[in-house]
Amino acid sequence: MLSRNRKSSAPILPIRSMETELKHIWSKPIEDQPVYKDLPRLVRRITVLGAEEPKTTSTDSTSETQSTPVDGLDEEKKLERRTSNFRLSVPLGGEWREEVDKLEEIPPSPVISPRILHVLPSSSTSNTQQQQQTPVQVTPITLYDDIKRVILTVAKKLEPERYESIREGLEKQKVAERSVLEMVVADVFREVLGRESKVAKVFKAVHQNIIFAACYQVKTLIPLKWMTKDVRGPEGWLISIQFSPGAVSVSHRRREESLATEVEKFWFEWELHMTFDANMDEMQASVLKVTQLGFGDNVSQLKKESIKKALCSGRMIVA
């Protein structure tokens, strides 16, 4: 039964489950979602699993660098790279407010292996190698090369019959040093991919709005006494697209850390997994879980036990 607001006659609708909210967001027309805006800024955080690398014409001659996982608070200084920065806030008055949403420099072009599309530069590069490497200027041209590779990797798996026409359409797009990639990507989806194509539906799950529902669950359902903030840097937000027999999954991995004012530091990671049918017609399932938990060297045993209890020692199903 619906309740009513005492100050008005408008009914107060019940809160939808996370999965219902995700389906609602994903089912919206792509024009009503920030896909065109977000793909250029998230493309180097995307990993594609279970697909082969397509060959594309690239204007970027950047040397390839193998990625390695980044973990632990002691790596904080090493992670002070300038990357795409998204800061998400909790809802105010029932509506989401975006605190920071601006593009900064992004690491060099990703490396694509036959099975995995890596998106982050190596954190284990030697000092000598780092000194020899010249700074790479990120431009709309280099970013569009990355966008082409990711789109074609997905297209080759999902729509092989259209692969050549998609490749030709992507190559025909004119991108210059001063191009606005949001407009270029919009043209790609409208004129090349099709706004309701299988490939387009994958990227409808790859933007900031899709994880707002998960962020809300993390902020409201996890019984932590200490406030946290999302981590800036390469390990703060990673996305994977995975193909398996009969299904496609899109996952977002986020890292939260204690506030800068906290003396006893800790962090945890949570993951949102969404599973779709092979034709991308339906979101079949979703799960949100805490997957990792870490502490600084000076955290007291009492605080550790409290945080472990709240987060199930880093192994917690949230929703």
Side-chain angles (χ1 to χ4, degrees):
M1 182 176 180
L2 298 178
S3 60
R4 292 188 177 273
N5 192 322
R6 293 181 181 179
K7 296 183 180 180
S8 71
S9 59
I12 300 175
L13 299 177
I15 299 175
R16 291 183 290 201
S17 68
M18 184 190 71
E19 186 167 318
T20 301
E21 185 65 23
L22 289 172
K23 289 180 178 179
H24 173 71
I25 296 170
W26 179 73
S27 64
K28 289 182 178 180
I30 197 169
E31 299 286 344
D32 296 337
Q33 304 186 42
V35 176
Y36 308 153
K37 178 182 179 182
D38 286 355
L39 183 55
R41 300 183 291 178
L42 294 177
V43 65
R44 289 180 173 177
R45 295 174 180 266
I46 297 174
T47 301
V48 181
L49 304 170
E52 295 182 356
E53 172 194 359
K55 294 181 179 180
T56 63
T57 302
S58 175
T59 58
D60 184 12
S61 59
T62 304
S63 59
E64 297 182 342
T65 312
Q66 182 69 27
S67 67
T68 56
V70 181
D71 198 16
L73 288 173
D74 55 338
E75 297 289 327
E76 184 174 356
K77 291 185 178 180
K78 297 180 182 179
L79 296 172
E80 291 177 351
R81 306 184 184 102
R82 288 177 291 176
T83 63
S84 297
N85 172 28
F86 289 82
R87 305 287 288 173
L88 304 178
S89 65
V90 296
L92 299 177
E95 296 182 358
W96 284 100
R97 177 174 61 84
E98 184 182 343
E99 292 182 338
V100 179
D101 181 12
K102 58 184 179 180
L103 179 64
E104 300 177 7
E105 287 187 25
I106 303 176
S109 296
V111 179
I112 306 178
S113 72
R115 299 293 294 177
I116 302 176
L117 170 64
H118 296 287
V119 296
L120 296 178
S122 174
S123 62
S124 59
T125 306
S126 67
N127 292 332
T128 303
Q129 289 175 318
Q130 289 177 350
Q131 291 172 359
Q132 293 175 348
Q133 291 176 352
T134 57
V136 177
Q137 183 180 6
V138 177
T139 69
I141 295 176
T142 60
L143 276 178
Y144 184 65
D145 286 339
D146 298 331
I147 292 170
K148 284 192 298 184
R149 283 193 287 269
V150 173
I151 288 177
L152 287 175
T153 303
V154 173
K156 193 168 188 178
K157 192 70 177 181
L158 268 185
E159 302 187 60
E161 71 284 356
R162 295 181 60 220
Y163 175 79
E164 283 302 323
S165 64
I166 290 174
R167 184 186 62 79
E168 292 174 3
L170 291 173
E171 296 295 344
K172 289 179 181 178
Q173 291 293 320
K174 296 181 180 179
V175 182
E177 295 292 335
R178 296 182 178 273
S179 294
V180 179
L181 278 184
E182 181 177 347
M183 298 175 65
V184 175
V185 172
D187 288 341
V188 165
F189 278 85
R190 293 166 184 162
E191 301 171 7
V192 180
L193 297 177
R195 287 172 284 190
E196 289 301 319
S197 65
K198 296 177 186 178
V199 175
K201 288 179 180 179
V202 169
F203 292 102
K204 283 172 66 176
V206 182
H207 56 84
Q208 57 187 354
N209 286 3
I210 205 73
I211 65 166
F212 281 167
C215 288
Y216 179 76
Q217 298 288 338
V218 169
K219 296 294 186 182
T220 57
L221 295 185
I222 296 179
L224 268 178
K225 298 178 182 178
W226 298 272
M227 294 182 65
T228 60
K229 62 184 179 69
D230 51 294
V231 169
R232 300 180 64 179
E235 86 290 10
W237 184 358
L238 297 175
I239 301 164
S240 67
I241 301 168
Q242 183 165 5
F243 297 98
S244 55
V248 180
S249 64
V250 178
S251 301
H252 295 261
R253 189 177 79 193
R254 299 276 300 191
R255 179 175 288 200
E256 300 270 335
E257 66 181 358
S258 50
L259 301 181
T261 53
E262 287 284 344
V263 176
E264 299 177 285
K265 305 288 186 180
F266 70 95
W267 59 265
F268 67 92
E269 286 187 355
W270 57 265
E271 296 182 11
L272 169 64
H273 298 282
M274 295 167 287
T275 303
F276 304 85
D277 67 286
N279 291 320
M280 292 300 299
D281 291 327
E282 179 186 8
M283 184 185 296
Q284 298 179 327
S286 67
V287 63
L288 174 64
K289 56 186 179 180
V290 175
T291 57
Q292 292 190 55
L293 174 61
F295 299 94
D297 294 334
N298 64 336
V299 179
S300 66
Q301 190 61 33
L302 182 63
K303 184 172 182 177
K304 278 186 180 180
E305 292 303 321
S306 178
I307 294 173
K308 284 181 178 180
K309 182 178 180 181
L311 298 175
C312 298
S313 297
R315 293 291 182 269
M316 178 185 187
I317 303 295
V318 181

